[in-house]
Amino acid sequence: PNIYYNKVIAFVIDGDKTNHHASNIGYRFTDGKLEVADYPGFYYIPGFTHYAINKQGEVYNHKTKMILKWFITQPNKKKNIKGGYFAIRGYFSKSVLVAMTRHRAMGLVFLDYPDNADSMVINHKNGTPGDDDPDNLEWVTRGANNLNAYINDLKNQHMRVLVRNVLTNEIKEYYSISDAARVLNLYSDESLRAR
């Protein structure tokens, strides 16, 4: 809402203060989170300010004055998606309908978010989708999120691999060929798979 423009701090996402393109401008609230005046305990969600969320994860649409219902994402075996995340469909602007997950909304409101939050994801520390308590959430890169999924055996498309150093005979286990390639500074292509 226009009355809160003085509560917004803008920043450049890529750190280049000369790049003022709209896609490079982010914002956060001056006090970290901004409470809805007529709905105490609910805080505007940055980027989705038609909506506000409370610590229990309930979402309030301040335009319609209604509490919205989350749906639970379903597993998708073809795409290897576990499911179990809470989501809603909401309007980013008057005509752009997007899906918003509860854990990301909680992260935007109750965690300090980095300037490059658009390229980051919210990780469930305990690996349990739907456990969206702010203490269980953290901002991480996609790679760190995948690593957490491997560690907690939440992904089943990977195959753990053993790598032996032929000079020392030391054997190390990696979560996947990609993980081994990343650590060993090799390309994760068919030649590595053949080895």
Side-chain angles (χ1 to χ4, degrees), residues 17 38 77 80 90 112-113 119-120 148 170-171 186:
K17 295 184 187 296
D38 60 345
K77 290 183 181 179
N80 209 18
D112 289 334
Y113 58 89
S119 64
M120 305 281 281
N148 184 58
E170 178 187 13
I171 297 176
L186 299 169

Side-chain angles (χ1 to χ4, degrees), residues 162-173:
L162 298 176
V163 175
R164 181 173 60 91
N165 182 324
V166 295
L167 299 175
T168 66
N169 279 331
E170 178 187 13
I171 297 176
K172 289 186 87 172
E173 181 178 6

Side-chain angles (χ1 to χ4, degrees), residues 29-57:
F29 298 121
T30 54
D31 296 325
K33 54 186 185 272
L34 181 61
E35 190 169 29
V36 178
D38 60 345
Y39 226 77
F42 282 79
Y43 301 89
Y44 289 102
I45 302 170
F48 301 91
T49 52
H50 289 106
Y51 308 96
I53 194 165
N54 66 10
K55 277 254 188 179
Q56 291 72 43

Side-chain angles (χ1 to χ4, degrees), residues 6 70 76 80 105 113 129-130 132 134 154 167-168 171 180 190:
N6 64 334
W70 295 101
N76 183 329
N80 209 18
Y113 58 89
D132 299 331
L154 300 174
L167 299 175
T168 66
I171 297 176
E190 290 307 312

Side-chain angles (χ1 to χ4, degrees), residues 96-136:
V96 179
L97 182 67
V98 296
M100 176 176 46
T101 57
R102 185 171 71 182
H103 58 285
R104 187 164 185 91
M106 295 290 277
L108 285 167
V109 173
F110 298 108
L111 303 176
D112 289 334
Y113 58 89
D115 292 352
N116 64 339
D118 287 348
S119 64
M120 305 281 281
V121 296
I122 291 287
N123 182 52
H124 291 85
K125 295 177 189 175
N126 67 2
T128 305
D131 185 354
D132 299 331
D133 185 279
D135 291 336
N136 185 44

